[in-house]
Amino acid sequence: MSDALDHRLLDCVQVNLAELADRLHGDGTHLAMGRVLRFWPRPGADGLPTVEPQVDSQVAEAADLLGLRVTRRARVASVAELQAGPGCYAVADAYHLPWVPYHGKEHLQHSFLVEPDGDGFTVVDGYHNDTQWGAARPGRWPLGHAELAEALPDGALTFGLAAADRPAERTPLVQLADAGTYVSAYADFPDRVRALRGLTLQTWLLTRSRRLHAAAMGADTEAVRAHLAEWDALAKQVYVAARRVAAGRDEPRSVFGRLADCLAADHTAFDAPTPVTKSEVDRGEVPAQVRESVSAVIKTVLGAGPAAGDRTLGDIPGFSSFRMMEIVERIEHDLGVEFAAEDLVPEKLTHVDGLCRAVLDAGGSR
């Protein structure tokens, strides 16, 4: 695995193309994928638009950007048809892949590399993500023929990839469509559970692609950092909203205005300063008893609570969007409150005092 590759910037199709590119052309080659910043939705399932590209087009564009050449493309029905080797890149259903947390949980397309290893294979997968079923981390997994066959009951889409000339072009390519129809589609879709679940993936993809573009272009200004932080906060808020709606709770409609604002800010964030707004949640004191109760819940969920005087949760090992949701649900259960839908924003849920104020706003006193 490449130590110079920040796997957190890449989705599950990109990341193993990035691994190959850095192997063939040197550390940092993968950043060329971030030259393109795009918001170009296409029709998706159930009438909802999607920014998730189709695998063939994503591989073809990435190969051009990374200096890779597609030597073959084949949909194989079995392991016997695999041509395992240094450039064997495969995409299959993550539901069946035993090394990812989606195994037996969710159907989605997922990439990996397949290399021969003695009488079997080594699977290489650079994917890095935290999921509600556990963490996916980059690694190498030895599998025998029978094990890999079990992981590919429906076969796989495979590509042979080799080195080509690296393109000299390094200027950014920005393609941003109007966002109004896209936002409205998710805001007005009748099945609210499906809409918020779909939007969770959408905002996750949009957030990662913006972080990759900033890294590729060396855009590290205060304005860009603030814009990326806003995308991160939106993705977290949408995830929380999806969980709440799935549980039959109220929906925070503010996510759609925030999504529209983030997409509009894409047009200027990488070229001109944008206002930086500091969080208001840490102003003023909260009752000590409430803070103690909230801190106890945080410690129960994460295994470590905030130290005296700590305000944010991001520095506690193990904290993530999924743990954030567990903290919210545990606070509501243990303290006998129900947070207001509009309080379910990361600016509050990632701060100790923000959580305390949400408890107070919900009528809690301990």
Side-chain angles (χ1 to χ4, degrees), residues 149-325:
E150 187 176 348
L152 303 177
D154 303 319
L157 178 62
T158 64
F159 298 84
L161 296 165
D165 292 336
R166 291 186 63 182
E169 180 61 64
R170 288 293 181 268
T171 58
L173 173 62
V174 179
Q175 297 177 326
L176 302 174
D178 179 76
T181 302
Y182 176 85
V183 176
S184 296
Y186 282 93
D188 301 334
F189 193 71
D191 187 332
R192 301 312 300 152
V193 172
R194 189 170 296 171
L196 270 296
R197 187 169 183 267
L199 193 59
T200 299
L201 173 62
Q202 297 293 297
T203 51
W204 184 90
L205 289 168
L206 288 164
T207 299
R208 287 210 171 188
S209 64
R210 273 103 189 108
R211 287 202 166 276
L212 178 60
H213 182 70
M217 295 296 102
D220 190 28
T221 65
E222 185 178 29
V224 169
R225 289 193 295 272
H227 182 55
L228 296 177
E230 182 64 10
W231 269 112
D232 282 338
L234 171 64
K236 290 182 174 70
Q237 186 181 1
V238 170
Y239 169 70
V240 171
R243 285 283 296 266
R244 303 290 279 193
V245 171
R249 311 283 277 278
D250 289 341
E251 176 181 344
R253 299 292 294 177
S254 60
V255 298
F256 302 104
R258 194 171 197 176
L259 172 61
D261 289 344
C262 282
L263 289 167
D266 279 341
H267 290 267
T268 57
F270 296 102
D271 299 313
T274 56
V276 178
T277 303
K278 294 184 178 179
S279 172
E280 299 288 326
V281 298
D282 290 336
R283 294 190 175 182
E285 293 300 321
V286 296
Q289 188 174 4
V290 173
R291 184 180 173 88
E292 289 172 4
S293 298
V294 167
S295 296
V297 171
I298 293 168
K299 185 174 182 179
T300 298
V301 174
L302 299 180
D310 281 357
R311 301 286 186 173
T312 63
L313 306 183
D315 293 333
I316 301 177
F319 181 74
S320 67
S321 300
F322 303 98
R323 302 291 83 79
M324 178 177 73
M325 193 63 213

Side-chain angles (χ1 to χ4, degrees), residues 9-33:
L9 299 175
L10 302 155
D11 67 35
C12 60
V13 172
Q14 292 173 324
V15 69
N16 294 305
L17 295 168
E19 288 284 348
L20 278 176
D22 278 19
R23 284 185 192 178
L24 294 170
H25 293 301
D27 290 346
T29 302
H30 67 278
L31 288 174
M33 272 192 292

Side-chain angles (χ1 to χ4, degrees), residues 86-170:
C88 181
Y89 171 91
V91 178
D93 187 349
Y95 186 89
H96 303 294
L97 305 180
W99 63 89
V100 295
Y102 305 111
H103 181 229
K105 304 295 184 182
E106 185 168 8
H107 294 279
L108 52 83
Q109 293 181 318
H110 190 86
S111 78
F112 50 96
L113 307 177
V114 187
E115 302 171 351
D117 184 2
D119 294 332
F121 306 92
T122 289
V123 165
V124 178
D125 187 356
Y127 189 53
H128 186 294
N129 192 28
D130 293 316
T131 81
Q132 66 193 86
W133 304 290
R137 292 294 183 266
R140 301 172 63 90
W141 291 268
L143 298 178
H145 277 262
E147 291 173 305
L148 188 56
E150 187 176 348
L152 303 177
D154 303 319
L157 178 62
T158 64
F159 298 84
L161 296 165
D165 292 336
R166 291 186 63 182
E169 180 61 64
R170 288 293 181 268

